[in-house]
Amino acid sequence: MLAADPKAVRTLLTRYASLRIAQAERGTPRTTRELADVSRRLCAMTGATDMREAIERADALLSAARRMRAGIGCGDDCVSQAA
């Protein structure tokens, strides 16, 4: 499985969080649609079947990307650990 681009994952996670807040404050049909769309995209990008799993995988992917940028080893291949 190909690893998702960390920047794209971070962007989707940020959008997801913003939409969850907006939905809690003033849920509108538009917010509901956008939240569903972002959720589907994040699940697809991480290969997850639900949002809890997608968030966990996204966090692992971003953590591995940070370690790789910092030059910190992570045993086996960092990207395969995140997937």
Side-chain angles (χ1 to χ4, degrees):
M1 182 168 127
L2 294 174
D5 176 35
K7 289 180 183 180
V9 170
R10 188 176 303 111
T11 298
L12 279 178
L13 278 176
T14 301
R15 185 70 183 136
Y16 175 78
S18 297
L19 287 167
R20 287 288 306 255
I21 292 167
Q23 184 72 7
E25 290 177 347
R26 61 187 183 295
T28 65
R30 180 179 178 191
T31 304
T32 301
R33 282 191 308 274
E34 289 182 30
L35 184 58
D37 178 59
V38 168
S39 297
R40 279 191 300 273
R41 290 169 53 200
L42 193 55
C43 283
M45 190 175 284
T46 60
T49 57
D50 60 52
M51 278 310 296
R52 171 175 256 147
E53 182 183 11
I55 291 169
E56 289 172 359
R57 288 183 179 200
D59 285 344
L61 179 111
L62 294 175
S63 180
R66 278 192 300 276
R67 287 192 304 269
M68 287 175 61
R69 271 196 321 272
I72 300 170
C74 43
D76 294 331
D77 178 24
C78 289
V79 176
S80 67
Q81 288 181 6

